[in-house]
Amino acid sequence: MGDTPKLKIVKGPSDTSPGDRQIDGRRKRSERSRRQIISAMFDLIEEGVVSPSASDVAERAGVGLRSVFRHFDEMDTLYRDMMQSLEEEVLPKIMVPFQSPDLAGRKAEMVERRTAIFERIMPFKVSAGLRRFQSDFMMDSHLRFRMLERATLKANLPPDVSRDPVQFEAIEAALSFETWRRLRQDQSLEIDAAKAAFARLVDALVPG
């Protein structure tokens, strides 16, 4: 007779040692605390606190100030994680190809998509804009977004328009996030009125 094969015992959840369970519990609590802090940052900025302090974030998240800096070495790190979460949310929407086969339809899609995305990111872009001249990451994030704005605009304009440097730059400036922010905040327009202004700019600058 040959040797009887030995059964391999695979540990299940109930076989985890007390030490492993304790480490896993700490890890889960730490991740939950981190999510609370990022969520608190989102909430405060959405509510109009343009530049929340670490104390503001800790109070809203229901954690100690020390917890904020245990997860994030400085406020810039917290801003970085917040902006990365925002990018993960909006980038898929930016990258969806336009569906309309004709220019009039693409112009309408351009207005609809840009205004929806700009409205979503506006409080965070304004907040991050206050820090970008002191933060390499914030400046890089700003420049990446600008490049993406320009690329999607160029891809959906008629070739003769996108090849005209003066006309393209005029269109890019008119349909930028900065224009949307001015319409909504400086000129105090409601969303529908600001969207109508955007559509008027498109019609004026893009023939056909």
Side-chain angles (χ1 to χ4, degrees):
M1 295 179 63
D3 294 335
T4 303
K6 295 181 179 179
L7 293 175
K8 184 178 180 180
I9 300 174
V10 180
K11 282 188 176 185
S14 60
D15 299 312
T16 306
S17 70
D20 289 341
R21 287 197 297 272
Q22 189 175 20
I23 292 171
D24 189 51
R26 281 201 300 267
R27 188 180 296 118
K28 287 180 178 177
R29 286 193 298 273
S30 176
E31 181 56 33
R32 185 166 59 247
S33 176
R34 184 184 182 88
R35 288 198 303 269
Q36 286 174 232
I37 292 167
I38 295 175
S39 178
M41 186 78 163
F42 266 96
D43 290 345
L44 286 166
I45 292 175
E46 279 190 300
E47 291 168 13
V49 183
V50 179
S51 185
S53 67
S55 298
D56 294 331
V57 174
E59 183 177 354
R60 174 58 64 91
V63 301
L65 185 60
R66 191 174 297 176
S67 292
V68 173
F69 290 111
R70 186 168 63 244
H71 290 288
F72 305 95
D73 296 336
E74 54 186 4
M75 286 299 289
D76 194 50
T77 312
L78 179 52
Y79 269 91
R80 183 188 65 199
D81 279 34
M82 181 192 73
M83 294 305 291
Q84 285 177 337
S85 296
L86 193 62
E87 284 182 12
E88 289 171 6
E89 177 187 338
V90 301
L91 276 178
K93 300 174 184 177
I94 294 173
M95 300 307 294
V96 174
F98 283 15
Q99 302 300 312
S100 180
D102 58 76
L103 179 57
R106 288 200 303 276
K107 288 197 294 185
E109 285 186 70
M110 188 184 302
V111 169
E112 198 65 37
R113 184 178 302 184
R114 283 197 165 220
T115 56
I117 290 171
F118 288 167
E119 187 66 18
R120 169 60 182 144
I121 68 173
M122 183 162 58
F124 309 103
K125 282 278 287 178
V126 170
S127 180
L130 298 176
R131 302 181 67 89
R132 67 185 167 95
F133 294 102
Q134 291 83 39
S135 165
D136 291 339
F137 173 82
M138 291 301 172
M139 182 59 78
D140 288 344
S141 178
H142 170 74
L143 295 176
R144 281 199 312 273
F145 188 78
R146 282 288 312 281
M147 289 174 62
L148 193 56
E149 275 188 293
R150 290 174 65 87
T152 54
L153 182 62
K154 185 164 285 194
N156 290 285
L157 289 173
D160 60 321
V161 174
S162 60
R163 284 196 299 264
D164 182 328
V166 174
Q167 187 174 9
F168 178 78
E169 294 300 333
I171 294 168
E172 197 271 336
L175 302 184
S176 65
F177 168 77
E178 287 75 17
T179 299
W180 180 255
R181 188 209 60 76
R182 175 169 177 154
L183 290 169
R184 291 283 288 121
Q185 293 187 331
D186 295 351
Q187 297 176 217
S188 303
L189 295 183
E190 297 294 334
I191 291 176
D192 287 345
K195 191 183 294 184
F198 244 52
R200 183 71 62 87
L201 286 168
V202 172
D203 286 337
L205 292 168
V206 183

